[in-house]
Amino acid sequence: PGRTGRAVRARRSRGGSAAPSPMAEPQVSSPTAPPALGVGSGLCNDPRMAKRPRLADGVTAASAGGGEWVEVISELQPAIVALRVTHVRSFEEDPASTAQGTGFVVDKERGLILTNRHITGVGPVRATATFDRHEELEVEVIYRDPVHDFGFFRYDPSQLRLTRCAEIGLDPQALQVGAEIRVIGNDAGEKLQILSGTIARVDRNVPEFNTIYNDENTFYAGAGASTSGGSSGSPVLNKQGRAVALNAAGQEGAASAYFLPLDRVAYAFERLRHGNAVPRGTCMASFLFKPFDELKRVGLRECHEIDARAATVDATGMLMVDNVLCEQQVLRPGDILLSLQGQVCANFAQLEEILDASVGRALRMLVCRGDEELSLEVQVTDLHALIPRSFVELGLDTLHAIGYHAAKRMHLPMDTGMYLAKVGHVFDSLGCGRAAMITAVGKTPTPTAEAFVAAVSTIPHRQYFQVSWYELADFRRDRTLKTGFAKMSRAWFPLRLWRCEVTAGGPEHWVPEDFPVPEAAPPPRSVLPSSAVGVGGDQLVRRMKASLVSIRFRTDRRMRMESNYTCHAEGAGLLVDAERGLVLTDRHSAPQSLGDVEVTLAGMMTVDAEVLFIHPMHNLVMLRCDPSAFAALRKANVPLRAADLATGAKASLRGGERLHFVGYDNQGNTFSTDVTVAAVYLPSGRDEFPLWDVPRFRERNLEIAVLADTPEDARGGVICDSSGCVRALFAAFDMQDQQHEESTEAYGVVADVFRPMVDLLRADPDAKLEAPSLDVEVTAVDVATLARGAQGQLPRSWLQAIAQRCGRSGQAARAMCVHRVMPTGASDGRLQPGDVLMGIGGQPITCCLDIDRALALRPAGASAAATARNVRRRPASAAASSCPSGPSGDITVSVFRDGKERDVVVPLSRLPSADDEQLLLWAGLVLRRTPRCILERCGVAAAKMLLSLGPGRGVFVQHVLGGSPADTREIGMHCFVLELAGRPVRELEDIVGILQDTAKPPGVPDAAPSQNGRRWVRLRLMDTHGQEHVRALRCDPLYFPTLDLRRVANGRWQCTRPGV
């Protein structure tokens, strides 16, 4: 069966289309109908505004099921509320997200709302209730039943201004077969739907779901009411206007609805009304109701049935133990309950009444086991103590104790370990999945949150530690205890322990406790002796092994800026500076600095690395190994050698060349093989690198080398000659296929492309490089086709240069044409799609490499002349002709357009490393400076708006954290923040300043109500099409404080709280 009570998840598709609308419209009801005449029983603060009873829009006697029902519904309608519950943290099987459900007021004086437990959740929540007249009030959890599917919220009745105060009484005894009922609630997300039905049975065992939480030790009622998602928590009403049951679940693909009887609900309600705690007891076993005939087959005697029917005239069966927890050593599955404390016990209501009154004591229980009667003494345990009331956050991971329901379902002891409710950056390195059970850290067991914190609090940042765990998702097939190593992460977010503090009859309060970061870990030691390097493989492998490195990258999905969807990558790199530990690789292997990058050198030792430079236009990245670790490696005489990069004519490839591939297979083994270059060309037309659905870096303006015999099992490596001279980097390119699936293909990037970047960083690793750009994408067009289709006569000298260049590489003559112009970029309004590039800065353009040479990579602030001097110091093959430019950095581009050769002056864009230096987390929005890949995909209106914001180019919403205020108010990702609290936003620092300036001073009244810093803030947003939207969200500094993540001097990320 499927749980209709599983609330409708108000979650959006995370990145399905190329430019998704970031604002999903919230579900709203139809406009309010004119109120009926007459004055209700209560008045609002304004005496001119009367609270009037009214019927739901469109509800008639026919739709309500009869005239008598109209009066009932009209009277009780103000007591039924639509609940929006945000689970701010993942807990048990509930992810951090927003859910919808229904509740109803059962005490209008104290503001008590009854709903389902799976609506209130088990962990911390923020919730609101929308009343009849569209009034939205914040509600707090005051009680969650540990077993049964019900809980209570509380609101402040004095805050209601328009809605008439009403409540629905509880009548557990009126739940009878044949009773006509109405289920009134938020069915399928629609405000106030009325579903009719007739109670068909009241003795059904609890419905079973493929979830951790399942109800137990109660009957359920059934009816054909066809309830669906969002109706969870709806009252099941009789004609007298009393609630006889609570809607809880339904059967998928059928009209069956399951209702929870109100016996224990009424018991808990009465205690809460008087401000008392609600004792709940368990014998660590769950029972099922079985008919007499079935029980006789497993040992029930005739005299037992006679005794049961004498005690309860209409008895049709008895209770039998279904399963027990590991701690229960007295009862066994199959035991038939005959009596409890000397009383015949044949129903759940009687059983639970006795258990709840006996918490902490032992009970006398008479059972029938087989054909033998046994008198047992069974201890009653406090059920509330078995439900997790604390959790731990560590490096974006969320863990809590196993809890009663998980222990019962998996048949594990209650002290087994910590349940991994959300996989973050730490345990993702272990390779375990969500719902893993962490049993020990090292040799220290972790049965509780406090024990887990004590075990991990002394582990330094980036230190590996041993972990033992079970995979609960696959537990029924594999119950093996697994052991592995996780990598500690303490730089992004602190180690935090949350505890729930509850007073009798009062709301829950979750209180955090942070733990300090221990001292840094010592540098890692070499794994293998230096003599082991170079052993095995052919001569070329032994030579290249000292220069090749393997790379592993990880990040958390919530911090994913440019990485693939899995946020994992493994690849290869090339050591290009053995003194400073500089490594050349591709964007697949190290797509961003916000993450964990590890480099394994010479197959001996793995060291941490930082992203030094990400080429803004090409699939190239430079890494720098951790200085202390790299120094220790060199001190250990580990043989490391900078790769020999090709120069001159060898720095490029041509079709038909026979060379060698040296690299890693998918198991990390080094191997070599002979390869043949099939072609070197610019992917164009149907072969171009496809656009991403979600804007990401996409290679363009690069001629790739394709091999005729690409190694099938290659992770990455280099293409070199027999002496080991590197001719090309065999780089991995991330792309998206026609089925919108991510894939990776490997192509060669010739040394001529990356040699300038390597030379500049070798000279000064701390240099801030800039790549001049025309902000255009070019495509290759056959000259023969161009000559037939273009107007006018193409210049003969240029055609000869094209023919000579293409002839040397064995390609057909092709020209470079402008394919796309970036909106508001350097060439916007100057170059046009279809322009044939003939020269840049006086240098003829025959291929993409000519464009790179004309627009030479340079240190930030360096002039073109200085760059030219630096370039001329390099070998002639690596030199790139600098572009003559004026004081403003303009450059002259010669194009062929409309049959004429034209000179166009273009102001160059200067692109820094394509990496983030700062992120801001506020109200669940992950904010970053607008990346170039987004600007390239924006519509004209959006691009112009961003251009008006100045050099910062605006603030971009990269992600929305589940369960956050932004998620609650349905603010989507991939949009721009234009205004915050009525003030313009141009860069991230603006948001920090606005938040500090608008913080409510003590004693100063606020127009927007604020509670514990939870003030309302207005946002003006813009999607990538240029359409503006206005939203308001409520800040939550407790669960979602403002965090400022920045790259510090050593290239690592540091997290701070502005103003703290």
Side-chain angles (χ1 to χ4, degrees):
R3 190 186 294 275
T4 68
R6 279 298 170 201
V8 176
R9 295 295 179 188
R11 294 180 63 86
R12 300 158 299 278
S13 174
R14 302 289 185 181
S17 60
S21 173
M23 319 299 167
E25 289 297 328
Q27 295 172 340
V28 297
S29 64
S30 57
T32 304
L37 297 178
V39 179
S41 58
L43 296 176
C44 61
N45 295 332
D46 187 348
R48 297 170 299 175
M49 299 175 61
K51 300 179 181 179
R52 303 183 177 110
R54 69 185 188 93
L55 198 60
D57 301 329
V59 176
T60 62
S63 62
E68 64 273 22
W69 282 106
V70 173
E71 185 176 350
V72 171
I73 295 172
S74 177
E75 181 65 26
L76 301 180
Q77 177 183 332
I80 301 171
V81 299
L83 295 171
R84 181 189 292 266
V85 181
T86 300
H87 305 269
V88 298
R89 294 292 188 272
S90 297
F91 215 93
E92 284 193 345
E93 57 201 332
D94 292 326
S97 58
T98 300
Q100 292 180 357
T102 304
F104 59 98
V105 178
V106 291
D107 190 328
K108 62 184 179 182
E109 300 296 332
R110 296 173 179 83
L112 299 184
I113 296 174
L114 174 63
T115 187
N116 288 129
R117 177 188 187 269
H118 69 261
I119 296 295
T120 65
V122 186
V125 300
R126 296 292 194 190
T128 60
T130 302
F131 286 77
D132 179 47
R133 301 302 295 270
H134 305 281
E135 292 181 273
E136 184 178 300
L137 297 184
E138 186 175 5
V139 296
E140 298 176 302
V141 176
I142 64 166
Y143 181 77
R144 299 176 172 104
D145 195 79
V147 170
H148 296 324
D149 198 6
F150 74 91
F152 289 91
F153 285 111
R154 188 177 71 181
Y155 68 97
D156 183 358
S158 65
Q159 296 297 318
L160 285 177
R161 300 179 300 108
L162 305 176
T163 303
R164 174 173 55 87
C165 294
E167 64 182 36
I168 297 177
L170 305 181
D171 191 356
Q173 305 305 320
L175 182 63
Q176 299 177 356
V177 175
E180 187 179 358
I181 52 94
R182 293 291 184 272
V183 181
I184 307 175
N186 187 30
D187 189 73
E190 295 293 334
K191 188 174 182 293
L192 204 64
Q193 294 290 304
I194 303 171
L195 303 175
S196 61
T198 302
I199 299 297
R201 57 182 303 187
V202 295
D203 59 352
R204 190 196 191 283
N205 282 311
V206 295
E208 295 184 6
F209 306 98
N210 187 28
T211 57
I212 290 177
Y213 167 70
N214 273 284
D215 209 335
E216 65 177 33
N217 296 345
T218 182
F219 286 121
Y220 265 68
S226 300
T227 57
S228 60
S231 63
S232 297
S234 300
V236 181
L237 301 175
N238 61 11
K239 288 185 177 181
Q240 288 70 43
R242 309 276 288 178
V244 299
L246 180 67
N247 183 41
Q251 177 79 35
E252 288 185 355
S256 301
Y258 303 130
F259 307 139
L260 174 70
L262 300 180
D263 301 279
R264 288 296 93 189
V265 175
Y267 158 75
F269 173 54
E270 286 302 320
R271 297 194 65 87
L272 291 173
R273 290 181 64 184
H274 295 89
N276 298 325
V278 183
R280 297 286 280 116
T282 178
C283 58
M284 308 293 280
S286 61
F287 294 79
L288 290 179
F289 177 81
K290 297 292 183 180
F292 289 123
D293 289 344
E294 185 173 345
L295 293 175
K296 289 179 181 178
R297 302 185 189 112
V298 294
L300 185 71
R301 301 176 185 175
E302 187 71 28
C303 61
H304 298 151
E305 178 182 348
I306 294 174
D307 292 342
R309 297 184 67 178
T312 307
V313 178
D314 57 350
T316 59
M318 302 181 73
L319 303 181
M320 183 178 73
V321 176
D322 180 43
N323 58 60
V324 298
L325 274 76
C326 295
E327 286 76 6
Q328 177 54 265
Q329 301 295 319
V330 178
L331 293 173
R332 295 181 184 176
D335 286 352
I336 303 171
L337 179 60
L338 300 179
S339 67
L340 194 60
Q341 292 291 82
Q343 303 179 26
V344 175
C345 183
N347 61 71
F348 290 114
Q350 185 180 1
L351 169 68
E352 292 214 306
E353 183 178 355
I354 296 174
L355 291 177
D356 291 347
S358 307
V359 175
R361 306 203 307 267
L363 294 178
R364 290 180 291 107
M365 188 176 292
L366 183 66
V367 301
C368 176
R369 183 177 297 168
D371 57 353
E372 181 182 2
E373 286 188 7
L374 296 177
S375 180
L376 308 175
E377 188 174 273
V378 179
Q379 189 70 28
V380 179
T381 305
D382 181 9
L383 254 178
H384 292 293
L386 305 180
I387 305 300
R389 294 285 81 193
S390 63
F391 67 94
V392 179
E393 289 184 294
L394 172 65
L396 297 172
D397 300 80
T398 303
L399 308 94
H400 57 74
I402 179 173
Y404 176 84
H405 295 282
K408 180 184 72 171
R409 183 170 180 81
M410 302 300 172
H411 196 63
L412 289 171
M414 291 291 299
D415 60 353
T416 297
M418 295 290 287
Y419 179 90
L420 186 59
K422 178 68 176 180
V423 181
H425 197 53
V426 175
F427 289 99
D428 178 72
S429 64
L430 186 65
C432 62
R434 182 177 181 269
M437 184 64 62
I438 309 300
T439 62
V441 172
K443 300 298 182 181
T444 305
T446 55
T448 63
E450 289 74 14
F452 177 83
V453 168
V456 301
S457 59
T458 58
I459 302 175
H461 177 58
R462 289 187 166 179
Q463 177 70 43
Y464 278 92
F465 60 97
Q466 189 176 20
V467 178
S468 301
W469 82 97
Y470 291 112
E471 287 286 357
L472 299 188
D474 200 29
F475 205 51
R476 297 196 180 275
R477 186 178 63 175
D478 182 8
R479 296 180 71 94
T480 305
L481 180 65
K482 299 174 175 59
T483 303
F485 293 91
K487 189 174 185 180
M488 179 57 68
S489 175
R490 298 289 296 274
W492 294 359
F493 301 98
L495 171 63
R496 178 170 293 171
L497 173 62
W498 293 80
R499 296 184 179 92
C500 183
E501 298 180 353
V502 183
T503 57
E508 296 181 346
H509 294 288
W510 291 83
V511 180
E513 179 185 359
D514 290 348
F515 293 84
V517 179
E519 296 181 359
R525 294 172 296 176
S526 179
V527 177
L528 299 174
S530 59
S531 59
V533 179
V535 177
D538 57 28
Q539 182 178 359
L540 190 57
V541 169
R542 292 195 296 271
R543 176 179 176 82
M544 296 298 298
K545 201 168 186 179
S547 302
L548 283 174
V549 302
S550 61
I551 300 170
R552 185 171 65 175
F553 170 83
R554 293 185 307 107
T555 192
D556 187 85
R557 288 189 179 183
R558 288 157 284 187
M559 300 292 110
R560 179 169 63 97
M561 303 295 120
E562 295 292 338
S563 70
N564 58 33
Y565 180 75
T566 64
C567 296
H568 293 80
E570 293 185 352
L574 191 64
L575 183 65
V576 296
D577 190 325
E579 296 294 328
R580 299 178 177 87
L582 301 184
V583 173
L584 175 69
T585 186
D586 52 60
R587 281 182 177 238
H588 168 81
S589 304
Q592 62 185 57
S593 62
L594 185 58
D596 187 71
V597 183
E598 294 180 339
V599 175
T600 301
L601 297 144
M604 294 181 60
M605 188 177 79
T606 299
V607 299
D608 294 312
E610 306 297 339
V611 173
L612 186 62
F613 181 75
I614 299 179
H615 201 291
M617 294 183 292
H618 296 317
N619 184 26
L620 298 170
V621 177
M622 188 70 80
L623 305 176
R624 177 164 53 189
C625 297
D626 180 70
S628 59
F630 197 76
L633 194 65
R634 292 182 57 80
K635 188 176 181 180
N637 296 322
V638 175
L640 300 174
R641 183 176 61 85
D644 181 17
L645 304 183
T647 60
K650 289 186 176 181
S652 59
L653 301 175
R654 68 178 186 274
E657 279 193 277
R658 295 191 59 82
L659 297 168
H660 304 275
F661 168 83
V662 183
Y664 297 98
D665 61 19
N666 287 329
Q667 286 72 44
N669 303 311
T670 312
F671 74 102
S672 69
T673 185
D674 296 338
V675 294
T676 302
V677 179
V680 181
Y681 70 99
L682 172 66
S684 303
R686 296 180 180 178
D687 295 332
E688 71 175 5
F689 290 97
L691 296 172
W692 291 92
D693 286 344
V694 177
R696 275 177 54 186
F697 168 78
R698 166 179 159 270
E699 185 60 78
R700 86 284 325 261
N701 301 350
L702 176 69
E703 284 144 347
I704 59 174
V706 180
L707 302 181
D709 41 11
T710 302
E712 294 183 0
D713 199 28
R715 178 190 298 173
V718 296
I719 300 172
C720 60
D721 57 22
S722 57
S723 66
C725 181
V726 176
R727 304 281 300 278
L729 177 70
F730 198 63
F733 291 76
D734 290 333
M735 62 186 69
Q736 194 173 40
D737 58 25
Q738 295 180 351
Q739 287 73 39
H740 305 282
E741 298 291 336
E742 290 191 17
S743 61
T744 303
E745 299 290 342
Y747 303 106
V749 180
V750 298
D752 257 338
V753 175
F754 56 78
R755 183 66 187 259
M757 178 182 73
V758 172
D759 288 343
L760 288 172
L761 291 176
R762 276 175 172 173
D764 183 6
D766 295 322
K768 302 296 183 182
L769 302 187
E770 289 181 343
S773 172
L774 297 176
D775 293 338
V776 298
E777 179 180 349
V778 300
T779 186
V781 179
D782 288 342
V783 172
T785 303
L786 184 64
R788 296 183 62 184
Q791 300 177 6
Q793 184 70 30
L794 294 169
R796 186 176 183 83
S797 59
W798 175 76
L799 289 174
Q800 289 177 348
I802 290 283
Q804 291 175 1
R805 188 266 172 191
C806 294
R808 287 194 300 269
S809 61
Q811 299 177 356
R814 293 187 175 91
M816 299 293 104
C817 293
V818 176
H819 183 44
R820 294 184 179 94
V821 179
M822 175 180 164
T824 71
S827 298
D828 188 24
R830 295 174 175 86
L831 298 182
Q832 301 176 6
D835 284 351
V836 181
L837 292 181
M838 305 183 67
I840 298 178
Q843 303 296 322
I845 301 300
T846 62
C847 61
C848 286
L849 187 58
D850 290 339
I851 300 176
D852 287 343
R853 287 170 174 164
L855 307 174
L857 191 71
R858 65 188 66 176
S863 64
T867 305
R869 289 194 296 271
N870 292 335
V871 171
R872 282 193 289 271
R873 293 193 190 105
R874 301 196 301 269
S877 63
S881 301
S882 65
C883 50
S885 58
S888 62
D890 296 347
I891 193 169
T892 301
V893 180
S894 299
V895 300
F896 189 79
R897 181 194 303 168
D898 298 332
K900 297 179 181 180
E901 188 174 355
R902 302 170 183 262
D903 288 339
V904 181
V905 178
V906 177
L908 289 175
S909 293
R910 300 182 182 278
L911 308 180
S913 175
D915 194 17
D916 290 283
E917 297 292 332
Q918 180 186 9
L919 294 179
L920 194 66
L921 277 67
W922 171 71
L925 297 175
V926 181
L927 305 171
R928 64 189 294 205
R929 184 179 184 272
T930 302
R932 180 178 172 83
C933 60
I934 299 296
L935 292 173
E936 293 172 349
R937 295 284 296 277
C938 282
V940 176
K944 290 182 177 180
M945 173 63 76
L946 296 174
L947 180 64
S948 67
L949 298 178
R953 294 291 180 92
V955 173
F956 184 70
V957 178
Q958 182 70 28
H959 292 292
V960 176
L961 302 182
S964 66
D967 183 43
T968 301
R969 294 297 158 182
E970 299 182 337
I971 297 177
M973 60 183 180
H974 298 162
C975 60
F976 306 93
V977 180
L978 301 181
E979 284 185 4
L980 177 62
R983 295 169 58 177
V985 173
R986 293 180 172 84
E987 55 187 6
L988 293 174
E989 294 297 340
D990 291 342
I991 293 183
V992 176
I994 293 171
L995 293 176
Q996 292 176 347
D997 293 344
T998 57
K1000 180 175 177 286
V1004 177
D1006 192 352
S1010 175
Q1011 182 181 8
N1012 299 325
R1014 298 193 63 209
R1015 65 184 187 278
W1016 286 94
V1017 179
R1018 185 177 71 255
L1019 287 167
R1020 186 164 67 93
L1021 307 170
M1022 180 180 69
D1023 59 30
T1024 54
H1025 302 294
Q1027 179 66 44
E1028 295 186 10
H1029 307 263
V1030 176
R1031 291 287 185 271
L1033 58 78
R1034 193 173 191 183
C1035 303
D1036 193 344
L1038 175 62
Y1039 297 113
F1040 293 92
T1042 302
L1043 300 177
D1044 191 352
L1045 278 74
R1046 294 175 185 258
R1047 290 191 74 182
V1048 293
N1050 59 3
R1052 297 182 179 180
W1053 285 81
Q1054 181 178 351
C1055 180
T1056 60
R1057 292 185 61 177
V1060 178

